[in-house]
Amino acid sequence: MLNLNDIIETINMIESENLDIRTVTMGISLLDCCDSDAKTACDKIYNKITRLAGNLVKTGCDIEREYGIPIINKRISVTPIAMVAAASGGDPVMFAKTLQRAADATGVNFIGGYSALVHKGFSAGDRELIESIPEAMSVTENICSSVNIGSTKSGINMDAVKLMGQIIRKTAAATADRDCIGCAKLVALCNAPEDNPFMAGAFHGVGEPDCVINVGVSGPGVVRAALKKCPDGDLGEVAEIIKRTAFKITRMGQLVGAEASKRLGVPFGIVDLSLAPTPAVGDSVAHILEEMGLECCGIHGTTAALAMLNDAVKKGGVMASSAVGGLSGAFIPVTEDAGMIDAARSGDLIIEKLEAMTAVCSVGLDMIVIPGDTPAEVISAIIADEAAIGMVNSKTTAVRVIPAIGKKQGEELEFGGLLGTGPVMAVNLNKSPKKFIDRAGRIPAPLQSLKN
């Protein structure tokens, strides 16, 4: 039975506290589009995406209008293109351009899946796709790329880690005239989930259905507003408030996902119950941590506060949906979070503290602007550190850093929209990890990988 107070509370969350559905993402398998001829494969890909997702944007807008729930992005994720391109031996960039044509035709915000899964080594087509990423990101606008370089089960592919440091540098250079935007659409992952609806790491896993709808919710502003009403409660009370709020947020995601599934005739997959911030004032994960009692995000105590937030979000959200998945928890992308931006500008938030926070958040070092002269081996070492945290803790970690070509610490890049803006953060360049990275090979899986 509908409760009038709950309805009024939800309306207030939407109007005043930035509650929204961050994304409705349609996952599409392209395995049946493989063909020995690259052009034929691209035609199949375009036809399948436009056939299945042709009404995705319209359906999202209809639900948004009828229910009064903002749906910020409508997106598509596809089978890692390295697998499909390998069957034809064609130029991977041709596939990127095909995905862009499909994005233009369907009107979606992003298509994710220009990806390779190389956590245990390179198979046919993987290296070619990875090496094509700088060009692919420079000639497309709405395509996102990801590379899974490690997992708890397989260890870390350090050959791929070394290569990704170089690729990120080249991608920044290839899009330097657009504030290095290519790197904002590129992420290196460890333990990448196959059902993640959020970009840039979304791809449609090979174990997924032929087509599926996944939903990503948001709501940092709602959580902060709820905590404002309890200025003197102990941390146990704080956790309870977060859990109850996460439950309400996730129920809205469940409703939208089920409705989109029914209207599109596509199975409903999961709700990713992550708190995904935006650069808008009042929609910040950092401000939640500060509402808990921290004077500024990044000071001592930040990791503990984030750990509690992440855990409470999961505990509350998992009761609201029978299908929770993706990343689920709290994101800490620097340029996409107003509070993180302020903390980085003031110097209270540094990369080393962010790395500690990634051990307990949903993802990892996300949307961090670094000096343009940062060497490739240092970027590789940052990726290796994050992958190690993910591998040992059996969690997803990621690195999405943007070398700001021509800029130094204190200057800023401006991406606009959800990608936001951010200062160039300091990177430790006093000594070099080059010899360690050049050893390459593979870091073996940890003992906890032996679970059978």
Side-chain angles (χ1 to χ4, degrees):
M1 181 176 178
L2 291 175
N3 182 296
L4 183 59
N5 290 332
D6 287 343
I7 294 172
I8 293 172
E9 183 181 34
T10 301
I11 292 171
N12 185 58
M13 287 177 179
I14 292 169
E15 291 184 345
S16 306
E17 298 168 5
N18 298 296
L19 177 61
D20 59 56
I21 298 296
R22 184 52 45 85
T23 178
V24 173
T25 300
M26 177 179 282
I28 301 175
S29 172
L30 302 182
L31 292 177
D32 58 345
C33 298
C34 292
D35 196 280
S36 58
D37 179 72
K39 184 180 183 305
T40 301
C42 286
D43 289 342
K44 289 181 178 179
I45 289 170
Y46 178 83
N47 291 335
K48 184 168 187 180
I49 292 175
T50 53
R51 172 172 57 85
L52 292 173
N55 289 322
L56 177 61
V57 172
K58 179 182 181 301
T59 299
C61 291
D62 288 346
I63 295 171
E64 189 174 10
R65 183 176 57 255
E66 292 173 29
Y67 287 88
I69 300 170
I71 302 174
I72 306 303
N73 276 288
K74 295 85 178 175
R75 300 166 173 170
I76 296 169
S77 63
V78 298
T79 305
I81 290 297
M83 296 180 181
V84 184
S88 68
D91 178 7
V93 177
M94 182 190 307
F95 291 83
K97 292 177 178 178
T98 298
L99 293 178
Q100 182 61 54
R101 283 200 301 124
D104 293 339
T106 57
V108 296
N109 302 94
F110 289 108
I111 295 183
Y114 196 75
S115 308
L117 310 179
V118 296
H119 36 283
K120 205 168 184 178
F122 298 94
S123 60
D126 288 335
R127 193 178 292 272
E128 288 79 5
L129 182 130
I130 293 172
E131 291 177 345
S132 76
I133 288 172
E135 181 183 355
M137 294 299 98
S138 69
V139 299
T140 61
E141 296 291 331
N142 306 94
I143 307 307
C144 290
S145 180
S146 60
V147 179
N148 194 61
I149 50 81
S151 74
T152 300
K153 192 69 178 174
S154 64
I156 303 172
N157 180 352
M158 291 299 291
D159 292 318
V161 169
K162 179 179 179 179
L163 180 57
M164 282 306 297
Q166 300 164 3
I167 293 300
I168 290 170
R169 284 275 317 170
K170 290 177 181 177
T171 303
T175 55
D177 60 332
R178 287 167 282 163
D179 271 354
C180 309
I181 188 69
C183 290
K185 301 182 293 174
L186 169 61
V187 59
L189 293 150
C190 178
N191 289 321
E194 295 190 341
D195 56 2
N196 166 28
F198 287 102
M199 301 298 168
F203 63 88
H204 189 68
V206 295
E208 294 287 300
D210 188 61
C211 188
V212 69
I213 288 291
N214 296 321
V215 172
V217 299
S218 187
V222 178
V223 175
R224 186 191 185 194
L227 292 180
K228 266 186 174 294
K229 299 171 185 175
C230 181
D232 301 315
D234 65 27
L235 293 177
E237 293 176 75
V238 169
E240 285 300 314
I241 291 171
I242 295 169
K243 283 162 57 179
R244 289 197 298 270
T245 307
F247 178 88
K248 295 172 184 175
I249 294 170
T250 308
R251 288 301 288 173
M252 190 177 75
Q254 174 79 16
L255 166 68
V256 170
E259 190 64 24
S261 168
K262 182 174 71 175
R263 296 187 185 196
L264 291 165
V266 173
F268 174 47
I270 58 95
V271 177
D272 188 322
L273 51 92
S274 295
L275 296 181
T278 71
V281 175
D283 200 25
S284 163
V285 169
H287 288 160
I288 296 175
L289 305 180
E290 291 166 6
E291 196 63 47
M292 289 183 186
L294 300 175
E295 188 171 345
C296 181
C297 178
I299 65 173
H300 295 299
T302 300
T303 305
L306 180 60
M308 189 181 77
L309 172 65
N310 209 53
D311 180 66
V313 166
K314 291 181 178 180
K315 286 176 178 173
V318 77
M319 295 298 293
S321 172
S322 58
V324 171
L327 297 161
S328 291
F331 291 176
I332 53 170
V334 175
T335 72
E336 298 177 11
D337 185 305
M340 296 285 179
I341 295 169
D342 290 341
R345 283 174 177 156
S346 68
D348 291 297
L349 183 64
I350 61 175
I351 287 182
E352 288 78 8
K353 184 59 177 178
L354 275 166
E355 183 179 304
M357 293 164 66
T358 64
V360 298
C361 77
S362 289
V363 194
L365 293 172
D366 197 19
M367 289 301 291
I368 296 172
V369 185
I370 61 176
D373 59 358
T374 304
E377 61 268 18
V378 172
I379 298 173
S380 294
I382 292 171
I383 295 171
D385 283 344
E386 269 308 292
I389 291 173
M391 176 184 70
V392 170
N393 290 288
S394 300
K395 71 180 293 292
T396 302
T397 49
V399 172
R400 185 164 47 149
V401 294
I402 302 99
I405 303 300
K407 295 184 183 291
K408 298 190 179 297
Q409 181 184 349
E411 298 183 77
E412 298 202 357
L413 288 186
E414 174 65 53
F415 303 112
L418 288 178
L419 295 176
T421 184
V424 179
M425 299 180 71
V427 174
N428 185 351
L429 301 178
N430 294 328
K431 300 288 189 297
S432 175
K434 184 172 175 24
K435 184 175 180 180
F436 174 71
I437 297 300
D438 284 347
R439 285 180 181 270
R442 186 159 64 94
I443 294 179
L447 187 61
Q448 54 264 47
S449 68
L450 301 176
K451 293 182 178 180
N452 288 338

